[in-house]
Amino acid sequence: QVQLVESGGGSVQAGGSLRLSCAASGYAASVACLGWFRQSPGKEREGVAAITAGGGRTYYSNSVKGRFTISRDTAKNTVFLQMDSLAAEDTGMYSCAARIGCNSSTVMSMSKYNYWGQGTQVTVSL
């Protein structure tokens, strides 16, 4: 079992930055990919960014590419999401997720992730 705990959410004005963290514990060595997903008001949950276990490959949705950066501290089993140039449409509940296998073609597919954190709220105001 893998436990995921997110932190770092909060309220920020448009144009500002936030850094989310996700600490993994349990059988973290079995994790092949970690991802960040968000659910915005009135929208379905969507994949935002993902990273392979070794941190060598990163993936981003078109909506955040160039503004968000995902990274991982393998020694601490922690993954980060640096969010810059935040906009109102980035508002939502951000959740960290982990999966045992990893496939680049499904890296943003929620159904492929085995473990989920509780989420952390991000609110961007104009």
Side-chain angles (χ1 to χ4, degrees):
Q1 196 75 358
V2 177
Q3 292 81 42
L4 303 169
V5 179
E6 304 96 333
S7 61
S11 297
V12 65
Q13 288 190 326
S17 298
L18 281 174
R19 189 193 196 205
L20 306 183
S21 299
C22 173
S25 60
Y27 293 102
S30 62
V31 171
C33 266
L34 294 109
W36 284 99
F37 293 79
R38 72 182 178 192
Q39 184 155 22
S40 302
K43 297 183 180 179
E44 294 185 354
R45 184 181 285 182
E46 62 172 337
V48 173
I51 190 167
T52 54
R57 283 194 170 186
T58 56
Y59 306 85
Y60 299 94
S61 67
N62 289 332
S63 61
V64 306
K65 196 173 296 182
R67 299 187 299 122
F68 290 12
T69 303
I70 189 170
S71 61
R72 182 174 180 181
D73 184 334
T74 54
K76 296 182 179 179
N77 284 330
T78 300
V79 64
F80 305 98
L81 185 67
Q82 177 66 41
M83 306 185 295
D84 299 319
S85 301
L86 284 163
E89 51 264 36
D90 294 317
T91 293
M93 180 67 74
Y94 284 70
S95 299
C96 175
R99 55 186 285 184
I100 306 302
C102 196
N103 185 310
S104 60
S105 63
T106 61
V107 71
M108 294 293 193
S109 298
M110 292 182 297
S111 62
K112 300 298 184 182
Y113 282 78
N114 308 97
Y115 307 101
W116 290 82
Q118 293 298 310
T120 185
Q121 178 68 34
V122 171
T123 302
V124 184
S125 58
L126 295 172

